[in-house]
Amino acid sequence: MKKTSTRLADGRELVYYDLRDDTVRDAADRRPLDPTVTSSEVRHDVLLGDAVAVASHRQGRTYHPPADQCPLCPSHGDRLSEIPDSSYDVVVFENRFPSLAGDSGRCEVVCFTSDHNASFAGLTEEQARLVLDAWTDRTSELSSLPAVEQVFCFENRGAEIGVTLQHPHGQIYAYPFTTPRTALMLRSLAAHKDATGGENLFDAVLERELAGERVVLEGEHWAAFVPYAAHWPYEVHLYPKRRVPDLLALDEDARSEFPQVYLELLRRFDRIFGEGEPPTPYIAAWHQAPFGTLDGFEGVNRDDFALHLELFTIRRTSGKLKFLAGSESGMSVFINDVPPERAAERLREVASR
């Protein structure tokens, strides 16, 4: 992997990640852009103990542009985009309309391929490995920023999810705090460790799932399963079999196998609802240990946390979405229409051929 860092016309950082070491990236951003102005503010909810990012400048972000005006495609001639060069393998840049900025963190966009009509599932294993390497490098870079406590790499796919740009891409959020969902995991981790005299909860969950009926696919170094208490109709958790706290700690064997396992999983997601159905909308979310101190979680450290990816779709059946209504949105109590055992069975049925 070759990494080339540059700056866009408004001062934002852009980084090319290339498969070939002899690739030259010297194209300049020719757009007449003014410096980016953001108004991100993180507010603490004293009743719930969580945080809300207030970012009014995002009201003006790009919204469903036609394909020939996509800002994530390479620049060509007089058609100038966020990527100055006429081609790329993987590129990462600071979001022009970030939810978090300055002392409130940082937001980046990750473009998986220059092909506007592709999807992550359509990448080659070599391309998918490059994305993994880019995620890892960005995690390293962002975690070194003074304001950052946790790094979150994720992909939103599909208009039903709320995606406003159809080009295959993901995002990275660098939070100035430990996120509420991670805090819940850490509290459960600490309580289980205390109650069992030192057993790791993530290890116990993985061992239980591998011995059960909800395994979707399994490699030598990775395992994917539908969790016992899945929140979403089709939800899969992907774990490295050797527990590590973050992407940085994955060994070469796990990195080499990841593209094969993950691409197979994504392709199965696109087959859930049968032939002729539109691509399955999903969210793919990496969960990494916080890089800050774990104050408030007595008895646990970063190495107790288990890196894993959670993949789920909001589609519950053909042509129907799972809406978060009263119980889910009002009280955070999910009601799942598809038994996790049946979801796992379906995902095994649609294995790639």
Side-chain angles (χ1 to χ4, degrees):
M1 178 188 77
K2 181 180 180 182
K3 175 183 175 182
T4 306
S5 180
T6 185
R7 291 282 172 180
L8 296 174
D10 55 9
R12 289 176 293 134
E13 184 180 18
L14 180 144
V15 184
Y16 294 98
Y17 294 91
D18 287 294
L19 292 168
R20 291 174 55 95
D21 289 337
D22 60 353
T23 303
V24 176
R25 299 294 184 187
D26 56 7
D29 185 2
R30 295 180 284 126
R31 297 173 298 171
L33 298 180
D34 294 326
T36 301
V37 177
T38 62
S39 56
S40 178
E41 176 189 1
V42 175
R43 297 186 180 184
H44 180 70
D45 186 321
V46 295
L47 290 179
L48 298 180
D50 59 12
V52 176
V54 180
S56 59
H57 63 276
R58 285 176 53 80
Q59 286 281 35
R61 66 188 185 274
T62 308
Y63 186 81
H64 292 298
D68 63 357
Q69 297 178 31
C70 175
L72 306 185
C73 288
S75 294
H76 287 287
D78 293 332
R79 183 190 173 283
L80 306 178
S81 73
E82 289 279 63
I83 297 90
D85 215 323
S86 59
S87 67
Y88 64 85
D89 292 334
V90 172
V91 71
V92 178
F93 59 88
E94 288 184 75
N95 198 321
R96 190 177 179 185
F97 303 97
S99 301
L100 306 167
D103 292 339
S104 297
R106 176 158 155 158
C107 294
E108 298 183 338
V109 177
V110 184
C111 299
F112 304 138
T113 171
S114 60
D115 184 352
H116 180 84
N117 297 312
S119 68
F120 202 118
L123 300 181
T124 65
E125 290 186 16
E126 185 181 38
Q127 289 173 309
R129 170 59 191 265
L130 184 61
V131 175
L132 175 63
D133 290 342
W135 281 331
T136 304
D137 182 72
R138 298 317 302 159
T139 296
S140 176
E141 292 286 336
L142 293 172
S143 65
S144 69
L145 298 178
V148 173
E149 282 197 19
Q150 189 170 5
V151 179
F152 176 46
C153 307
F154 64 101
E155 179 190 2
N156 298 329
R157 191 265 191 106
E160 299 95 328
I161 296 293
V163 175
T164 58
L165 298 175
Q166 298 309 309
H167 195 105
H169 72 287
Q171 299 181 66
I172 303 176
Y173 278 20
Y175 297 101
F177 50 80
T178 296
T179 61
R181 189 174 179 87
T182 302
L184 287 174
M185 293 184 196
L186 290 170
R187 282 196 284 273
S188 296
L189 184 65
H192 184 84
K193 188 174 184 179
D194 180 64
T196 60
E199 182 182 65
N200 184 279
L201 179 58
F202 287 108
D203 292 349
V205 167
L206 182 58
E207 181 180 0
R208 180 189 69 187
E209 293 292 358
L210 288 178
E213 59 182 317
R214 290 180 296 275
V215 175
V216 174
L217 59 89
E218 183 178 357
E220 183 178 355
H221 304 285
W222 293 86
F225 58 87
V226 177
Y228 171 75
H231 289 59
W232 299 92
Y234 291 93
E235 174 182 340
V236 176
H237 293 189
L238 178 62
Y239 277 68
K241 290 185 175 180
R242 183 180 70 88
R243 172 166 45 89
V244 294
D246 51 46
L247 290 166
L248 302 172
L250 286 174
D251 61 25
E252 181 55 34
D253 288 337
R255 292 182 184 281
S256 295
E257 187 183 76
F258 171 79
Q260 176 187 351
V261 174
Y262 188 48
L263 290 173
E264 169 66 16
L265 189 57
L266 291 180
R267 289 162 187 167
R268 291 190 190 192
F269 254 59
D270 274 344
R271 293 183 173 91
I272 294 174
F273 304 106
E275 297 295 330
E277 287 289 321
T280 301
Y282 65 74
I283 292 175
W286 280 109
H287 292 264
Q288 306 192 76
F291 287 91
T293 60
L294 297 184
D295 295 340
F297 307 104
E298 186 175 351
V300 300
N301 55 53
R302 290 194 77 252
D303 290 336
D304 291 323
F305 194 87
L307 167 77
H308 64 283
L309 182 142
E310 297 184 7
L311 172 69
F312 62 90
T313 178
I314 62 170
R315 188 179 292 165
R316 57 186 175 87
T317 190
S318 179
K320 297 179 181 179
L321 300 181
K322 166 63 178 177
F323 292 102
L324 300 189
S327 186
E328 292 89 353
S329 295
M331 296 301 289
S332 295
V333 179
F334 275 67
I335 300 170
N336 193 347
D337 304 290
V338 180
E341 294 73 23
R342 174 54 190 149
E345 181 182 20
R346 177 59 181 159
L347 284 162
R348 290 193 297 268
E349 291 173 350
V350 295
S352 297
R353 289 172 172 77

